[in-house]
Amino acid sequence: MKKWWKQAAVGVGLMTMLAGCSDGESASTPKDGKVVLDMWVFGTTGYDELAKAYMEENPDVQIKVQSTEMGDHHNNLFTALSAGKGAPDIAMIEVGEIERYRDAKDRFTNLNDLGAKDLQANYLDWVWNVGSSSDGEFVYGLPTDIGPTAMYYRKDVVEAAGYPTDPAELASTLATWADYTKFAEEVKAKTGKPVVDNAELIFNAKRDQASEHYFNRDNELIVEENAEIRAAYDYTAELIQKGTVGNMPLWTPEWGQGMADGSYATLLGPAWMQGVVKGNAPDAAGNWLVTTMPEGAGNWGGSYLTIPKESEYSEEAYEFISWLLTPDNQLNSFKDMGLFPSTPETYEKEEFKSYTDEYFGGINTAQVFADAAAQVVDVYKGKNYLLVQGEIMMALDNVLNSGGDPDKEWNDAMDRIKQRLERE
Amino acid sequence: MLPKPETSPTTNIRKKKMSQSVKDNITGYIFVSPFFILFSIFGLFPMIFSFYLAFFKWNGLGPMTFAGLDNFRIIFADALFWKSIYNTVMIGLLGTVPQLIVAFLLAYALNSQVVKFRNTFRVAIFMPYVTSIVAVAILFSIVFNNQSFGLVNSIIGLFGYDPIVFTQSEWGAKIAIASMIFWRWIGYNTIIYLAGMQSISNELYEAAKMDGANLFQQLRYITIPVLKPFILFTVFMGTIGSLQVFTEPLIFFNGNLRPEGITVVAYLYRDAFESNFFGTASATAIVLFVLIMIFSLINLLFTNRVGRSKKRGASA
């Protein structure tokens, strides 16, 4: 009899141990009267250092910053929000991912209820609008950093093509996309190199200058009738058919190698791409420069800090994030980690204005991107944005690699988009 | 008041009745219970929930709306769904059939007395199996790189052919994915065949040699017949495994799943976790479930028939 109980006890013990694994320390329990805020971030933000400074000023608040790789971070967050349990008090959401939560207002605290309306004027309009519902009544999150896009270019390739290498001169020579086409042909004729690394970035650059993309604010699919998007597609297809678009997909080894070797003339990328260029082409200092791209700029990347509904300390969390994202602290994040500020006031600060980067030929890259940030068009994306984008990219891939007919590929892509959206 | 005194004696009797065998049973159940508890939470519940979800439309956050059979109608009307089934079968055949044949020959070589350093080779051949699929997939994406400097493309280039864009080539993509499966699983099957071959008594071969059987005849009349159950096992596992191929195409296409190589599981993954269409993803999962059942049944019938013929052979 005793033996039996011993065995049972071991069995039960094992089970509770296993069950115990699922119940982590995610619950925010006040320790000695302290408010504990769990914060989930991804990438290198440096927010843990700022949190320490905040905790010194506010001894009754304890902030636990947990950083995870971007993909895992968003999967974990989606699962927690879907289950309605296990989400942190503060969650960072990337600008592309925030579209997924358009319908999920019940999972987030409306920051307007906590006074976000007073902060709106601090931030760029378009950035603020992406983080709020289309009527502006519901604010999901406060903007952290942004990714205004500009034109990175290889000095040596541009020079070989017979174009001016000074940033301001090149920008005025390439004022329109028609100029850019001519430039592309020159680059090809003189150097044999493509003008861009791949079809995606040229399409995105032109797409981002449109005022409407794939869905309207009522979430209706408008991509097929949208002449601006079609123009972006046709422009990209035209450059492809002229043989001036490279075949180095983003994030592949050959893409990075191309950056180091200067296998293409321009890279239409955002502010945070500076770190990527430096990392991939450490020996090309002075060969990469930045200037504004033809006809305006777009935005790629950046994040928002949200407060999931289940947080017990939404007010304390709001206090902290509104402090973290003030123009002054955004300047700190810019200096520490290169996060590009979403607060235009920061652009006026002396340290920002006198910023130079030796790698990029000693120019003030921050100013180039600040100018770009002012040009970004306010646009509504919608929760199925990436689905539509993926199908258009596939069409352009087919034109690029399989010699597909642009019109037919476009029509096929539209059919696939409608087919997939039926599943919603 | 009356029933009370009546119940206590019965429980007493029951307690006394709990014999050693009952106790042993309870102990046994408690010992196996962790698996069943975990399985019902992480295995059974998701399975049943997935069946339920197949009849609803759900984006993971909003409310579920009943859709009846609409999810099935949508996927059956999608050419890409049928393409994904075709791809799965083709990749399965390309990855499994040559793999089993080569694994058999390798096992035969490793079992023979002529090969030196047999243990080293046995370990080496098994190594790919313990390698992470992601690492394998990344490695093979470099081998089957679209650019002219990719390993396969540079070899093709030596013969004067143009580089193949593997991710967009109907057969290129399939061959690349199938070769990952081939490379990763060949060791596993070789070891199974080797274990089978080592169970064959040497006397059989000696007797055959005495009768003047050559190497091929020994293989044909001794090794293959004795190994039949092992061969069936590997075919069975290979069939089910290849219907579930997922990581290889996902990494090979860098997340951008193209029709040239999308498999059924990759198709449902794209619906569920990229677009949050959990309804159609669950419907696809059910179709896949039925498909695996059909393939397993075919395998089972095949196995039974083989079993019968063996008996006949024994009685003859």
Side-chain angles (χ1 to χ4, degrees), chain A residues 1 4 7-8 10-12 14-15 18-19 22 75 78 81-83 100-101 103-104 106-107 247-254 257 383-384 386-387 390-391 393-395 397-402 419-424, chain B residues 18 22-24 26-27 30-31 33-34 37-38 42 57-62 70-71 73-75 77-79 142 145-147 149 165 167-168 254 256-260 267 269-278 280:
Chain A
M1 205 64 174
W4 186 87
Q7 287 162 346
V10 171
V12 171
L14 271 173
M15 272 184 273
L18 287 164
S22 64
N75 283 341
F78 184 85
L81 289 173
S82 175
R100 274 169 113 173
Y101 299 106
D103 288 347
D106 57 328
R107 313 282 161 140
N247 188 14
M248 292 161 251
L250 287 171
W251 317 119
T252 57
E254 57 267 29
Q257 194 59 41
K383 61 178 168 171
N384 291 314
L386 290 178
L387 185 158
E391 295 298 351
M393 279 309 119
M394 193 182 289
D397 255 359
N398 289 341
V399 177
L400 179 65
N401 281 319
S402 322
Q419 218 280 340
R420 281 178 75 182
L421 284 176
E422 221 186 317
R423 292 151 200 242
E424 206 184 328
Chain B
M18 200 148 82
V22 174
K23 276 184 241 161
D24 285 350
I26 293 173
T27 316
I30 287 176
F31 269 104
S33 63
I37 291 170
L38 289 179
F42 297 108
K57 297 208 172 195
W58 189 46
N59 65 7
L61 293 168
D70 202 43
N71 288 331
R73 181 191 61 78
I74 290 169
I75 57 167
D78 185 4
I142 298 169
N145 193 290
N146 291 342
Q147 311 288 326
F149 55 70
V165 183
T167 49
Q168 291 191 31
N254 211 350
N256 173 27
L257 293 158
R258 288 188 52 93
E260 287 83 359
Y267 177 89
Y269 168 85
R270 190 180 73 145
D271 259 7
F273 300 105
E274 282 181 16
S275 320
N276 297 344
F277 301 149
F278 288 99
T280 44

Side-chain angles (χ1 to χ4, degrees), chain B residues 132-144 180 248 251-252:
Chain B
S132 134
I133 312 185
V134 176
V136 176
I138 291 174
L139 193 79
F140 272 79
S141 336
I142 298 169
V143 172
F144 291 97
M180 292 181 211
E248 290 89 349
I251 310 268
F252 179 68

Side-chain angles (χ1 to χ4, degrees), chain A residues 101-151:
Chain A
Y101 299 106
R102 284 272 168 240
D103 288 347
K105 287 181 191 153
D106 57 328
R107 313 282 161 140
F108 294 96
T109 306
N110 183 357
L111 299 188
N112 264 345
D113 296 343
L114 297 168
K117 214 148 210 156
D118 305 333
L119 298 179
Q120 188 171 354
N122 288 348
Y123 297 91
L124 289 158
D125 279 343
W126 60 266
V127 188
W128 187 265
N129 291 345
V130 173
S132 8
S133 63
S134 46
D135 57 6
E137 289 301 313
F138 193 98
V139 173
Y140 295 90
L142 296 184
T144 60
D145 60 317
I146 54 172
T149 52
M151 184 167 79

Side-chain angles (χ1 to χ4, degrees), chain B residues 16 18 33 46 58 94 119 213 222 234 238 256 275 287-288 305:
Chain B
K16 267 177 205 158
M18 200 148 82
S33 63
W58 189 46
L94 284 173
N119 281 330
I222 301 173
T234 54
N256 173 27
S275 320
V287 176
L288 179 63
R305 221 195 52 196

